[in-house]
């Protein structure tokens, strides 16, 4: 009886290992697919970003410099072009507030 029980446990463990290996391979494939999808989205976002900045003009009709400005999307769907130095100062203020809360 003990031998049968031990063999049964070993068989169950081998089956579990096999199932886990199959699950691991499935997860690896899903991870790879998600990584490719994220890379594709990043490329599309970058292309969109460059397309938007290629069309933007300031008050005098000159192209807006993407190294000096960023595109900011608010939670209500509004889109703004903001100078980078303002964004950095806003982030610092937000970080300071979070640090004080902790």
């Amino acid at each position: 009886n003990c031998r049968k029980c031990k063999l049964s446990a070993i068989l169950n463990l081998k089956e579990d290992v096999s199932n886990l290996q199959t699950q691991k391979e499935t997860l690896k494939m899903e991870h790879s697919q998600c990584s490719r999808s994220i890379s594709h989205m990043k490329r599309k976002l970058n292309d969109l970003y460059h397309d938007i900045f290629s069309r933007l003009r300031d008050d005098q009709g000159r192209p807006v410099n993407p190294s000096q400005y960023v595109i900011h999307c608010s939670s209500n769907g509004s889109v703004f072009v903001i100078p980078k130095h303002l964004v950095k100062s806003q982030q610092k203020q937000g970080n300071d507030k979070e640090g004080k809360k902790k």
Side-chain angles (χ1 to χ4, degrees):
N1 283 341
C2 289
R3 287 182 191 159
K4 286 181 184 180
C5 188
K6 189 175 183 178
L7 287 175
S8 177
I10 290 172
L11 290 176
N12 287 337
L13 288 172
K14 284 183 180 181
E15 188 177 313
D16 289 347
V17 167
S18 176
N19 290 337
L20 288 172
Q21 286 173 336
T22 303
Q23 185 180 6
K24 180 181 176 182
E25 290 302 316
T26 302
L27 290 172
K28 278 184 177 180
M29 290 184 341
E30 286 179 19
H31 180 268
S32 177
Q33 185 179 10
C34 288
S35 294
R36 284 192 303 273
S37 179
I38 288 171
S39 294
H40 179 70
M41 284 186 223
K42 283 182 179 180
R43 281 193 304 275
K44 286 179 72 172
L45 182 61
N46 192 33
D47 291 345
L48 179 61
Y49 190 83
H50 287 294
D51 185 45
I52 289 170
F53 271 105
S54 71
R55 297 169 190 243
L56 286 176
R57 301 285 182 254
D58 64 8
D59 295 338
Q60 287 79 32
R62 296 175 299 203
V64 175
N65 186 348
S67 65
Q68 296 176 348
Y69 293 90
V70 294
I71 298 172
H72 177 76
C73 302
S74 65
S75 58
N76 66 2
S78 300
V79 178
F80 303 99
V81 177
I82 303 173
K84 280 188 178 180
H85 65 74
L86 291 178
V87 174
K88 289 179 183 175
S89 64
Q90 287 176 351
Q91 287 175 347
K92 286 180 185 176
Q93 289 174 355
N95 289 341
D96 290 344
K97 288 178 184 176
E98 287 176 15
K100 290 178 182 176
K101 287 180 183 178
K102 292 179 183 179

